Amino acid sequence: FRTLRANNFSVAADEDVRDFRGTIPEGQRNRIGTMLFGGFGKCLYPRQKFDSDPERRFAVILENDSDVLKWGKPAKSDFQIYVSSEKSYEPDFVVEAKNIKYICEPKRASEMEDELVLAKAEAAAAWCKYANEHARKHGGKPWQYLLIPHDQIQDQMTLTGLASRYQFFTSKG
């Protein structure tokens, strides 16, 4: 277990913290990674950066969903899943809902069959399998891994609805 530490972000001097619920104009979406967002109620951090507008919209879903208790975007080294003995990755989102915990990876639809994306998904689904064994023994909540195509993320959705469609199961037993 690791204690969460404060996230540090760098932004341009003229960049103000933006309301994460605000629509990003089409011409600015390509630079969303340079923007800093705030106004969260359930995020573990008061400010957050996103790599894409679908990630920002996913945060809107999490904030709107009454089943979601808290969520976060892990910083480097906060939550590592090992893909191989020398390669790890940090998931985009970790979410705790009333009855379950999720590792969520919004991904560009065109990358859903990419070899590295699938290797990370396999590793994360296997991590969830072991976490579920631990949770069963110790009275914890179960875990699920969600691999979500970016073009399927719409503000009016719920996390449960996305989970019913995009849970990824490991093919390795």
Side-chain angles (χ1 to χ4, degrees), residues 95-103 127-136 139-145 167:
V95 181
E96 182 176 3
K98 290 178 181 174
N99 298 313
I100 192 166
K101 296 177 183 180
Y102 297 97
I103 297 173
W127 187 98
C128 288
K129 178 183 164 200
Y130 294 120
N132 287 337
E133 290 173 12
H134 183 271
R136 274 191 294 280
K141 294 178 184 179
W143 286 83
Q144 283 185 5
Y145 178 72
Q167 182 178 1

Side-chain angles (χ1 to χ4, degrees), residues 127-163:
W127 187 98
C128 288
K129 178 183 164 200
Y130 294 120
N132 287 337
E133 290 173 12
H134 183 271
R136 274 191 294 280
K137 291 178 185 173
H138 301 282
K141 294 178 184 179
W143 286 83
Q144 283 185 5
Y145 178 72
L146 308 181
L147 182 60
I148 307 166
H150 83 284
D151 58 359
Q152 299 302 303
I153 298 171
Q154 304 299 323
D155 293 355
Q156 73 281 6
M157 299 180 128
T158 64
L159 185 57
T160 303
L162 286 168

Side-chain angles (χ1 to χ4, degrees), residues 102-113:
Y102 297 97
I103 297 173
C104 305
E105 190 76 28
K107 191 56 71 182
R108 183 176 302 281
S110 63
E111 296 177 344
M112 295 294 286
E113 299 299 321

Side-chain angles (χ1 to χ4, degrees), residues 11-71:
V11 294
D14 62 343
E15 179 69 32
D16 290 327
V17 176
R18 297 169 183 247
D19 182 347
F20 77 102
R21 292 183 187 278
T23 302
I24 305 301
E26 184 72 36
Q28 294 182 16
R29 289 185 189 154
N30 63 337
R31 48 180 221 89
I32 198 166
T34 67
M35 300 173 187
L36 189 61
F37 295 89
F40 307 108
K42 299 177 184 180
C43 185
L44 298 173
Y45 301 103
R47 287 172 297 288
Q48 196 64 70
K49 277 190 150 186
F50 300 107
D51 294 328
S52 65
D53 196 50
E55 281 191 4
R56 181 197 61 80
R57 290 193 327 267
F58 187 69
V60 172
I61 290 170
L62 298 177
E63 290 285 328
N64 289 344
D65 192 324
S66 62
D67 282 344
V68 172
L69 301 175
K70 55 190 165 193
W71 65 272

